[in-house]
């Protein structure tokens, strides 16, 4: 315990710029297990870097290349070695950081534009300025832990040849990036501001906080006001919310220590604390919902969230965050990380409250929203996500009113995310692939309505950024969870209005809730409406008989993503034959829809016109209605059954639903699910948000009624 108290004291003193020797890194017996493991992990990495010797190469390669990765390893090593020196007082760590920075002091003044620059704002050490900012954020923290122990001459060399010119490059030479309201600018302002605090440079700090001209129209504080909604949702989506969270949180932590009077964690009603918990809410099984340009394998097990959880816990004391740290099995080597580790060992965590939630988008909360519905608890619960958010700037996809479904620990209704192999040099140097533009961003690559085989807003991000859906309704009652949103600007040339209701609804006679999807579309002229569903699994059966392409497969279209779709078969379902069932991870899913006159169902797969094998081959089913000015697509997904390959046991592989019906009215939509046992349950939608309004409609000679926007009605068995 004495060692633990000394470590805690050392960390507290470090915040004031003091170093307090404590114990050798190998003696971790008195540390909380999580913190001790982190010390050992950091020591192993830094020891490996020391053994290799200090290498500071002349920049040459794009992302994933040798020089790129070496400079990344270097900033991580300096960051961790600084922590280890602060904790242990062992001079070998101090000397390693010092010697590395002296090497950078020789290199940095010689650098110009990176030779591998592409379409991004060019960096010095890296191919894009963003990575230079990341280097500065980490390196300056390592330097902060040793700076006071250096000679005056060493400090002057490192200050003036590394950190001042690096900060100047980001905030003056790269002023355009620095003054953006964007995650690249968040990293840049954080690096410059933390450097300013360390060097006692008020001008540098003020530029970081208030923008280059210090007007407050840009800069870090303005980013907290414009990049997050009042609910803490980050406009670029969960993947970039995770990425931007580290500079937001670590710079805020530095502001809190250096200028506590700013009360930065209370700024804008505690927006950064909200942002951290919102980031966690935007996950399933630890993985982020892959909105927009998302790399799908990013999860809560990432450096940004280790840091963010530790800082947020220190600020809030929320025991739910401890359960996230336990899930991560990681923390950071700071006062905050020690507190997390100590309280975990003391048994203080409680389950994080993953819940059904509506997260508004836009700085004023009026640019659409994301609705997340959850049923059940634990890693295999069901989650329905309605993405009714704004475009999300340049990393946004053209997917208005899209959605995803998770169940049994898997993504059932999918979003492609980004077409990119991050930092794999063989794939375009680790950059975004051409197919990110030709496929991943296109509307048909999402679970979104497509009109006339063209992408929303004509694929123009500047136009798309000026419009957002309107969230009409949200309710998360136990037996019926509903989201409805609308947008009328995605296809202005044909005046299309899209209104989509997604619901998780309990159905009498079924053990699990069904997902109901009602997409209303009205426009001008003879239009083609395509409603794709991107799903995970292997088809078991189709209720209808498609015309199959068993030889060469035709391509669905020529542009806007259609050129990347192979057609496996086309069918024209009738009445109760309009369904298909697939299996995933031992569970069956039946997708059922209401057929219309002239409606076709296209069974397809992504991956056509892909000579470099950049795209994943994934199944798609598309409902298509042609030559009409309006269409209401009504669909549902039913979860059922069990397959156990080990015991060769199959239970409930066939759907328990007998029919899906739609009663359409100018003011209402009523969707009736009838089970094979004869029970009928209806979802009734009025599109009227007056909670006191009572609505009535006649179904099968019987009047049914409900109050407010939407209702669930148990209609009993047939004839009741």
């Amino acid at each position: 315990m004495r060692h633990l108290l000394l470590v805690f004291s050392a960390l507290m003193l470090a915040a004031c710029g003091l170093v307090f020797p404590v114990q050798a890194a190998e003696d971790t017996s008195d540390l909380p297990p999580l913190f001790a493991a982190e010390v050992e992990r950091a020591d192993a990495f830094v020891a490996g870097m020391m053994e290799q010797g200090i290498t500071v190469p002349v920049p040459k390669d794009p992302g994933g290349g040798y020089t790129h990765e070496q400079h990344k390893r270097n900033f991580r090593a300096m960051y961790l070695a600084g922590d280890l020196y602060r904790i242990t007082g062992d001079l070998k760590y101090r000397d390693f950081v010092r010697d590395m920075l002296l090497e950078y002091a020789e290199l940095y003044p010689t650098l110009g534009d990176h030779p591998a620059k592409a379409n991004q704002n060019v960096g010095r050490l890296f191919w894009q300025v963003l990575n230079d900012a990341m280097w500065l954020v980490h390196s300056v923290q390592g330097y902060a832990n040793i700076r006071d122990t250096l000679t005056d001459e060493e400090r002057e060399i490192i200050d003036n040849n590394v950190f001042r010119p690096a900060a100047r490059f980001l905030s003056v030479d790269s002023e355009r990036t620095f003054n953006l309201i964007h995650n690249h600018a968040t990293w840049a302002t954080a690096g410059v501001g933390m450097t300013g605090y360390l060097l006692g440079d008020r001008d540098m700090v003020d530029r970081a906080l208030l923008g280059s001209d210090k007007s407050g129209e840009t800069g870090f504080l303005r980013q907290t006001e414009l990049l997050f909604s009042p609910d803490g949702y980050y406009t670029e989506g969960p993947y970039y919310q995770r990425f931007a969270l580290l500079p937001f949180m670590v710079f805020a932590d530095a502001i809190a220590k250096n200028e506590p009077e700013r009360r930065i964690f209370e700024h804008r009603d505690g927006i950064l604390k909200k942002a951290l918990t919102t980031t966690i809410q935007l996950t399933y099984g630890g993985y982020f919902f892959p909105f927009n340009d998302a790399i799908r394998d990013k999860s809560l097990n990432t450096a940004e969230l280790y840091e963010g959880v530790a800082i947020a816990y220190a600020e809030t004391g929320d025991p739910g965050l401890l359960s996230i740290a336990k899930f991560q099995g990681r923390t950071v080597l700071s006062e905050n990380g020690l507190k997390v580790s100590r309280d975990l060992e003391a048994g203080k965590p409680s389950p994080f409250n993953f819940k059904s939630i509506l997260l508004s988008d836009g700085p004023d909360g009026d640019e659409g929203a994301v609705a997340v519905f959850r049923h059940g608890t634990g890693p295999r619960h069901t989650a329905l996500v309605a993405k009714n958010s704004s475009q999300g700037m340049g990393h946004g996809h053209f997917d208005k009113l899209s959605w995803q479904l998770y169940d049994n620990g898997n993504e059932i209704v999918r979003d492609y995310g980004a077409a990119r192999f991050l930092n794999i040099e063989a794939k375009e140097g680790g950059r975004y692939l051409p197919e990110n533009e030709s496929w991943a961003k296109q509307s048909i690559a999402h679970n979104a309505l497509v009109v006339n085989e063209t992408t929303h807003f004509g694929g123009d991000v500047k136009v798309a950024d000026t419009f957002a859906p309107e969230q009409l309704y949200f309710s998360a009652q136990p037996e019926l969870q509903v989201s409805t949103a609308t947008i009328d600007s995605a296809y202005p040339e044909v005046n299309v209005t899209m209104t989509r209701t997604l619901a998780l609804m309990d159905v009498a006679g079924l053990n699990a809730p069904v997902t109901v999807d009602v997409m209303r579309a009205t426009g001008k002229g003879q239009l083609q409406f395509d409603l794709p569903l991107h799903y995970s699994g292997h088809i078991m059966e189709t209720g209808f008989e498609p015309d199959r392409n068993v030889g060469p497969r035709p391509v669905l279209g020529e542009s806007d993503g259609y050129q990347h779709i192979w057609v496996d078969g086309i069918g024209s379902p009738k009445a109760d034959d309009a369904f298909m069932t697939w299996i995933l991870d031992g569970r069956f899913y039946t997708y059922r829809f209401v057929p219309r006159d002239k409606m076709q169902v296209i069974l397809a797969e992504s991956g056509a016109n892909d000579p470099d094998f950049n795209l994943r081959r994934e199944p798609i089913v598309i409902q298509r209605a042609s030559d009409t000015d309006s269409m209401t697509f009504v669909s549902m997904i039913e979860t059922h059954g069990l397959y156990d390959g080990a015991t060769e046991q199959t239970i409930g592989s066939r759907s328990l639903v007998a029919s899906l019906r739609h009663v359409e009215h100018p003011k209402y939509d009523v969707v009736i699910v009838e089970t094979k046992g004869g029970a009928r349950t209806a979802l009734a939608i009025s599109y009227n948000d007056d909670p006191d309004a009572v609505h009535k409609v006649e179904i099968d000679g019987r009047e049914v009624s409900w109050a407010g926007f939407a209702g669930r009605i148990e209609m009993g068995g047939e004839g009741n």
Side-chain angles (χ1 to χ4, degrees), residues 524-546:
K524 181 179 68 175
Q526 296 301 294
L527 308 174
Q528 175 183 295
F529 296 101
D530 286 345
L531 189 66
L533 186 87
H534 299 259
Y535 63 96
S536 302
H538 193 106
I539 293 177
M540 294 291 99
E541 65 175 337
T542 60
F544 56 96
E545 187 66 24

Side-chain angles (χ1 to χ4, degrees), residues 425 510 555 567 675:
E425 192 172 9
L510 300 184
V555 175
V567 178
T675 69

